[in-house]
Amino acid sequence: MRLSNYFLPILKEAPREAEIVSHRLMLRAGMIRQQAAGIYSWLPLGYRVLRKIEQIVREEQERAGAVEVLMPTIQSADLWRESGRYDAYGAEMLRIQDRHEREMLYGPTNEEMITDIFRTYVRSYKDLPLNLYHIQWKFRDERRPRFGVMRGREFMMKDAYSFDTDKESARHAYNRMFVAYLRTYARLGLQAIPMRADTGPIGGDMSHEFIILASTGESQVFCHKDVLELKVPGEDTDFSSDLTPIVDEWTRAYAATDEMHDEAAFAEIPADKQVSARGIEVGHIFYFGTKYSEPMGAKVAQADGSEQAVHMGSYGIGVSRLVGGIIEACHDDNGIIWPEAVAPFQVGLINLKSGDAATDAACADLYEKLNKAGVDVLYDDTDGRAGAKFATMDLIGVPWQLIVGPRGLASGEVELKRRATGERETMTIEAALSRLTDAQD
Amino acid sequence: MRLSNYFLPILKEAPREAEIVSHRLMLRAGMIRQQAAGIYSWLPLGYRVLRKIEQIVREEQERAGAVEVLMPTIQSADLWRESGRYDAYGAEMLRIQDRHEREMLYGPTNEEMITDIFRTYVRSYKDLPLNLYHIQWKFRDERRPRFGVMRGREFMMKDAYSFDTDKESARHAYNRMFVAYLRTYARLGLQAIPMRADTGPIGGDMSHEFIILASTGESQVFCHKDVLELKVPGEDTDFSSDLTPIVDEWTRAYAATDEMHDEAAFAEIPADKQVSARGIEVGHIFYFGTKYSEPMGAKVAQADGSEQAVHMGSYGIGVSRLVGGIIEACHDDNGIIWPEAVAPFQVGLINLKSGDAATDAACADLYEKLNKAGVDVLYDDTDGRAGAKFATMDLIGVPWQLIVGPRGLASGEVELKRRATGERETMTIEAALSRLTDAQD
């Protein structure tokens, strides 16, 4: 993408309303624009990142055997009356009347609707296990939305729902999502720690939050240092096998959010192994048994002919929230430092002297070759000052900067800068190309 | 995907409420489930098709130089008061009050919001031309939603908005979208005809509808036969060049919807060149000048220093509607016949004797090899009857059926059936594999 054809409205100053660093950086980098309290437009740079995160989340859901659907944003109030949550949900639910005065709502979550889909079509234990997920916008009418996309009202969530004949098999379903989550966050470039969680209003007796560590995190978390050194399950993980050993390994050591923290238990950990840090919740998984299937009549025939309410779990990842979460974990004073997998572009190509024929030609050639090799390049072909170009690339956090100017070109050389470390290296054009196209594999 | 792990709730009978063939087939093929009047869940098969269409639409928007953003579904009423449309829009607008009693709405379209984004950031003619698009769910509270996804209330639309300094350059922007639309529909496997259109409530003086021909289409259309033989612009079209000749070629001959039909002009066409057919609207493009930029103050500084309201156009494609539109154009008595580019799976692999060790092994091997070659396969590994398996594959319209049974295997052979023609051919396993993996390229 040539910057001259792109829409990247960089702001020089952080707007006053932004209290946390990710919100400030997303506004400054032209990633989002607030349209109303807690409601954002995603500008081109922000939307690229959102879609990359979404795609990684999707791939790991599919790997774990979940099947994608898409439920609508608008739901009927009647469905929520069946579960008893219509009245219980409170002011956070955005309630709507349509032109025929039917009561509707903007879905804050989808347990009721997915249970309705299930009961419509599934009759037999033979069709289980089943896990259906979707990635869709939700609305929660927070009293005081803030922190940008970290706590918006309209937000994108991946929510998966598992259906099983009994608790034992529901536990397998739970474990599959547990492992999928470990893999998802690792691929996003994050260190995430599963922590035993309160089940809250969704209910149930098995639940974990996934917390990423970030010095600017919203809450205090506590864990054993060993958890930070565990190996994330590989691509070759067999999701049809018993995943209990992996889950056990990841839940053995102490790890708790502030709410669930047990001072006495934590004190028993050797002092040099105690980790107390700031964290951000980026996922939450629940097993809640027949809480919805029972009142809503989602039953399946068992092998013995009896009918049984299906055992369910739900599994959420805040996809739009993750954009902010990743920035909280990955930034410095100059701006964002995207992990490669979610970077909006892999390479920022900086033309130090736009208008100079030789420099323009060299840049155009590099741009074309990188694109052909499948590398996402943002080419700053504008006539801005070099200093401003560097600052912009630092701010938007592109992992590699490829700097091309007339002086270097005279000896066939360009400069390659790695955003994460600030490391700069002068090398031939060919060396830079092969470095960047290799990095892509 | 193994059918035993998938969620494909086929219905034996078409539900009574479905009046048109695409609605009936989408319900029978387990593509959608109605959640409320005009509001659908997309089940796995339907969602796959929707996403394939969405991706083709996106690629052609990008090729034409449009830049993707995502605006939220919920908008502030104040924005619509600025353009005067808040009161004018009528009952089709879903109006909402949030917990603080602020007036909001579920966006039926986005002219106001995109104009707001533009005026926030863009100041100079140097930043033009600009075309921003998004693919997002919209809501129009139709009095009587019907015809399934063809006329739903919650629907997915691609809407692009162009910004230019003057009318002449706005015409170039319009032409780029015109050509992008021709390419988009052709890639979707559709024959689409641009027809001069009424500009309706959006206003403006240059507008075309894109109509696909389908014997079950919703409205009568009229055109010169020559239009049906025009060549769609290729991948190598240079969108920075003057596209007027292409647009002229496509708009020279007579083509009109019922509303715009001119009996006298049509009568002048030689009788053997008169085409009168049924059609479905699948896209609509408009140039409307300063209709929104003027009242909303979206101005840019011109080269001469003066300030000028920006010239705009908007360009819509009904993405979810297209799923129904394609089925209307592509089906027979047995079910859907997907064009290759949007098919949910390329190949349906039918195991004629699940449980038979040799057949299972051969199928598993084919399944793995096709997947490895990047072919999307739906493998019917269930223990259903052969007849039912054939009927399902015909119904869901997978382009190729690969039929594997013990008798054929005894002589190393399988059968390959092409859904579109019904043509069946017996061949060796290797021949079938190479046919299917070649077809993929």
Side-chain angles (χ1 to χ4, degrees):
Chain A
M1 179 63 67
R2 281 172 184 265
L3 186 55
S4 60
N5 297 333
Y6 202 50
F7 181 60
L8 182 69
I10 298 292
L11 300 184
K12 291 230 169 56
E13 306 211 347
R16 265 183 319 177
E17 77 266 23
E19 299 169 50
I20 61 171
V21 65
S22 62
H23 191 191
R24 281 197 297 273
L25 288 173
M26 288 182 75
L27 290 170
R28 285 194 53 216
M31 294 179 63
I32 50 170
R33 162 164 169 72
Q34 180 172 303
Q35 301 292 160
I39 301 179
Y40 293 88
S41 282
W42 292 78
L43 304 180
L45 195 78
Y47 195 47
R48 272 186 170 246
V49 175
L50 185 67
R51 281 179 52 84
K52 292 210 171 176
I53 296 173
E54 182 191 345
Q55 184 55 24
I56 289 172
V57 169
R58 173 175 291 122
E59 286 169 13
E60 294 303 326
Q61 291 292 297
E62 300 279 335
R63 192 193 307 277
V67 177
E68 191 169 16
V69 298
L70 188 72
M71 290 174 270
T73 60
I74 301 298
Q75 307 188 16
S76 154
D78 286 340
L79 207 49
W80 287 68
R81 291 209 173 88
E82 289 191 51
S83 71
R85 284 210 291 183
Y86 186 64
D87 295 320
Y89 213 94
E92 272 194 19
M93 178 183 278
L94 189 68
R95 293 156 208 264
I96 304 171
Q97 281 208 340
D98 72 8
R99 67 188 289 165
H100 299 297
E101 294 182 2
R102 278 176 298 223
E103 288 175 293
M104 315 290 286
L105 57 96
Y106 197 122
T109 175
N110 286 70
E111 281 80 9
E112 283 79 0
M113 193 177 277
I114 201 77
T115 304
D116 173 60
I117 290 173
F118 182 89
R119 72 181 172 185
T120 304
Y121 300 110
V122 184
R123 297 274 171 271
S124 163
Y125 72 98
K126 288 183 194 161
D127 296 323
L128 302 183
L130 181 65
N131 184 323
L132 299 174
Y133 77 100
H134 77 158
I135 302 177
Q136 176 64 294
W137 293 90
K138 314 285 193 292
F139 202 97
R140 289 185 195 163
D141 202 359
E142 302 256 359
R143 174 186 297 276
R144 199 160 91 79
R146 56 193 160 147
F147 304 150
V149 301
M150 298 285 288
R151 196 154 173 185
R153 292 198 290 169
E154 186 169 331
F155 61 97
M156 183 188 266
M157 189 162 94
K158 184 285 298 177
D159 35 329
Y161 302 91
S162 64
F163 301 90
D164 286 273
T165 43
D166 54 38
K167 181 159 181 179
E168 192 42 38
S169 116
R171 181 181 295 276
H172 289 303
Y174 185 90
N175 290 348
R176 280 194 288 275
M177 285 294 111
F178 187 104
V179 173
Y181 276 40
L182 291 176
R183 286 194 43 76
T184 301
Y185 299 118
R187 282 189 61 194
L188 295 173
L190 298 170
Q191 175 141 44
I193 305 168
M195 299 194 178
R196 192 169 304 247
D198 190 11
T199 56
I202 292 194
D205 63 0
M206 186 159 58
S207 176
H208 287 90
E209 281 180 12
F210 287 77
I211 305 283
I212 56 170
L213 301 185
S215 59
T216 52
E218 63 201 355
S219 63
Q220 196 66 30
V221 297
F222 306 87
C223 69
H224 192 293
K225 200 174 175 187
D226 288 357
V227 183
L228 303 179
E229 270 130 45
L230 289 171
K231 210 173 142 276
V232 169
E235 264 195 25
D236 56 347
T237 303
D238 176 4
F239 280 87
S240 65
S241 71
D242 181 10
L243 300 171
T244 312
I246 300 177
V247 175
D248 284 350
E249 187 189 9
W250 278 85
T251 51
R252 192 172 298 130
Y254 187 86
T257 59
D258 217 359
E259 288 172 310
M260 303 287 280
H261 187 45
D262 175 347
E263 279 289 358
F266 191 63
E268 278 171 29
I269 301 172
D272 64 328
K273 293 283 193 179
Q274 290 180 2
V275 177
S276 161
R278 305 297 294 178
I280 297 170
E281 192 210 314
V282 289
H284 203 158
I285 62 178
F286 298 91
Y287 161 73
F288 47 72
T290 61
K291 182 179 158 73
Y292 299 93
S293 57
E294 195 75 64
M296 293 184 66
K299 293 176 185 172
V300 288
Q302 305 291 314
D304 66 8
S306 69
E307 277 211 323
Q308 197 79 51
V310 74
H311 286 249
M312 294 175 58
S314 75
Y315 313 91
I317 291 182
V319 179
S320 49
R321 178 182 174 80
L322 266 168
V323 181
I326 292 171
I327 296 174
E328 292 291 334
C330 310
H331 68 272
D332 64 14
D333 288 345
N334 296 324
I336 304 165
I337 305 171
W338 292 115
E340 297 259 357
V342 301
F345 297 94
Q346 301 308 306
V347 175
L349 172 59
I350 298 178
N351 182 332
L352 290 178
K353 201 168 181 185
S354 296
D356 174 68
T359 313
D360 289 351
C363 285
D365 186 55
L366 278 163
Y367 179 62
E368 200 191 315
K369 284 179 176 151
L370 288 168
N371 274 326
K372 244 188 203 145
V375 180
D376 266 345
V377 184
L378 180 64
Y379 168 24
D380 190 342
D381 59 344
T382 65
D383 55 7
R385 289 180 309 105
K389 291 187 177 189
F390 292 138
T392 293
M393 287 295 177
D394 278 356
L395 173 63
I396 69 172
V398 172
W400 296 94
Q401 295 171 18
L402 180 56
I403 302 153
V404 181
R407 264 175 66 182
L409 281 179
S411 47
E413 288 181 329
V414 295
E415 211 179 352
L416 191 62
K417 174 179 161 185
R418 188 169 188 167
R419 173 67 180 90
T421 58
E423 212 178 316
R424 301 167 78 120
E425 207 178 326
T426 299
M427 57 181 79
T428 63
I429 292 180
E430 293 67 35
L433 269 175
S434 87
R435 181 83 66 87
L436 292 172
T437 48
D438 289 351
Q440 188 60 11
D441 301 331
Chain B
M1 178 64 67
R2 282 172 183 264
L3 186 55
S4 59
N5 297 334
Y6 203 50
F7 180 58
L8 183 68
I10 297 294
L11 300 184
K12 290 230 170 57
E13 306 209 351
R16 267 183 317 178
E17 76 266 23
E19 299 168 49
I20 61 170
V21 66
S22 62
H23 192 190
R24 281 198 296 274
L25 287 173
M26 288 181 76
L27 290 170
R28 284 194 52 214
M31 292 178 66
I32 50 170
R33 161 164 170 72
Q34 180 171 302
Q35 300 293 159
I39 301 178
Y40 293 88
S41 281
W42 292 77
L43 304 180
L45 195 77
Y47 195 48
R48 272 186 171 247
V49 175
L50 185 67
R51 281 179 53 84
K52 291 210 172 178
I53 296 172
E54 182 191 346
Q55 185 55 25
I56 289 172
V57 169
R58 173 176 291 122
E59 286 169 13
E60 295 302 326
Q61 290 293 296
E62 300 279 333
R63 192 194 307 278
V67 177
E68 190 169 16
V69 300
L70 188 71
M71 289 174 270
T73 60
I74 301 297
Q75 307 187 17
S76 156
D78 286 339
L79 208 49
W80 287 67
R81 292 209 173 86
E82 289 192 51
S83 71
R85 285 209 292 182
Y86 187 64
D87 295 320
Y89 212 95
E92 272 194 20
M93 178 184 277
L94 189 68
R95 291 157 208 264
I96 304 171
Q97 281 208 341
D98 73 6
R99 66 189 290 167
H100 299 298
E101 295 180 3
R102 278 176 299 222
E103 288 175 291
M104 316 290 285
L105 57 96
Y106 198 121
T109 175
N110 287 69
E111 280 80 9
E112 283 79 359
M113 193 177 278
I114 201 77
T115 304
D116 173 60
I117 290 173
F118 182 89
R119 72 181 173 185
T120 304
Y121 299 110
V122 184
R123 296 274 172 272
S124 162
Y125 73 97
K126 288 184 194 161
D127 297 324
L128 302 184
L130 182 64
N131 183 322
L132 299 174
Y133 77 101
H134 76 157
I135 302 176
Q136 176 63 295
W137 293 90
K138 313 285 193 292
F139 202 98
R140 289 186 194 162
D141 201 358
E142 302 256 359
R143 176 186 297 277
R144 200 161 90 79
R146 57 193 159 147
F147 304 150
V149 300
M150 298 285 288
R151 197 154 171 185
R153 293 197 290 170
E154 186 169 331
F155 61 97
M156 183 188 267
M157 189 161 95
K158 183 286 297 178
D159 36 330
Y161 303 90
S162 64
F163 302 90
D164 286 274
T165 43
D166 54 38
K167 183 160 180 181
E168 193 42 38
S169 119
R171 183 181 294 275
H172 289 303
Y174 185 90
N175 290 348
R176 279 194 289 276
M177 284 294 112
F178 188 104
V179 173
Y181 276 41
L182 291 176
R183 286 195 41 77
T184 300
Y185 299 118
R187 281 189 61 194
L188 295 173
L190 297 170
Q191 175 143 42
I193 305 169
M195 300 193 177
R196 192 171 304 248
D198 190 11
T199 56
I202 292 194
D205 64 359
M206 187 160 54
S207 175
H208 287 90
E209 282 181 12
F210 287 77
I211 305 283
I212 56 171
L213 301 185
S215 59
T216 51
E218 61 201 356
S219 63
Q220 196 67 27
V221 298
F222 305 88
C223 70
H224 192 294
K225 202 174 173 185
D226 288 358
V227 183
L228 303 179
E229 270 129 45
L230 289 172
K231 208 171 144 279
V232 169
E235 263 194 26
D236 55 347
T237 303
D238 176 3
F239 280 87
S240 66
S241 71
D242 180 10
L243 301 171
T244 312
I246 300 177
V247 174
D248 284 350
E249 187 189 11
W250 279 84
T251 52
R252 192 172 298 129
Y254 187 85
T257 58
D258 216 0
E259 288 173 312
M260 303 288 281
H261 187 44
D262 175 346
E263 279 289 357
F266 191 62
E268 278 170 30
I269 301 172
D272 64 327
K273 293 283 193 180
Q274 290 181 0
V275 176
S276 161
R278 306 296 296 177
I280 297 169
E281 192 210 314
V282 290
H284 204 157
I285 62 178
F286 299 91
Y287 161 73
F288 47 72
T290 61
K291 181 178 157 72
Y292 299 93
S293 57
E294 194 75 65
M296 294 184 67
K299 294 177 185 172
V300 289
Q302 306 290 315
D304 66 7
S306 70
E307 277 213 322
Q308 197 80 51
V310 74
H311 285 249
M312 294 174 58
S314 76
Y315 313 90
I317 291 182
V319 178
S320 49
R321 177 182 175 83
L322 266 168
V323 181
I326 292 172
I327 296 175
E328 293 291 333
C330 311
H331 70 272
D332 64 15
D333 289 346
N334 297 323
I336 304 164
I337 304 171
W338 293 115
E340 297 260 357
V342 300
F345 296 94
Q346 300 309 306
V347 176
L349 172 59
I350 298 178
N351 182 333
L352 290 178
K353 201 169 180 184
S354 296
D356 174 67
T359 313
D360 289 352
C363 286
D365 187 54
L366 278 163
Y367 179 63
E368 199 191 316
K369 284 178 176 151
L370 288 168
N371 275 326
K372 244 187 203 144
V375 181
D376 266 344
V377 185
L378 180 64
Y379 168 25
D380 189 343
D381 60 344
T382 66
D383 55 7
R385 287 179 311 104
K389 291 186 177 189
F390 292 138
T392 294
M393 286 297 177
D394 278 355
L395 174 64
I396 69 173
V398 172
W400 297 94
Q401 295 171 19
L402 180 56
I403 302 153
V404 181
R407 266 174 66 180
L409 281 179
S411 46
E413 288 179 331
V414 294
E415 212 179 353
L416 191 61
K417 173 179 161 184
R418 187 168 188 165
R419 173 68 180 90
T421 58
E423 214 179 316
R424 301 168 77 120
E425 207 180 323
T426 299
M427 57 181 78
T428 63
I429 292 179
E430 294 68 33
L433 269 175
S434 88
R435 180 83 66 88
L436 293 171
T437 48
D438 288 352
Q440 188 60 12
D441 299 331

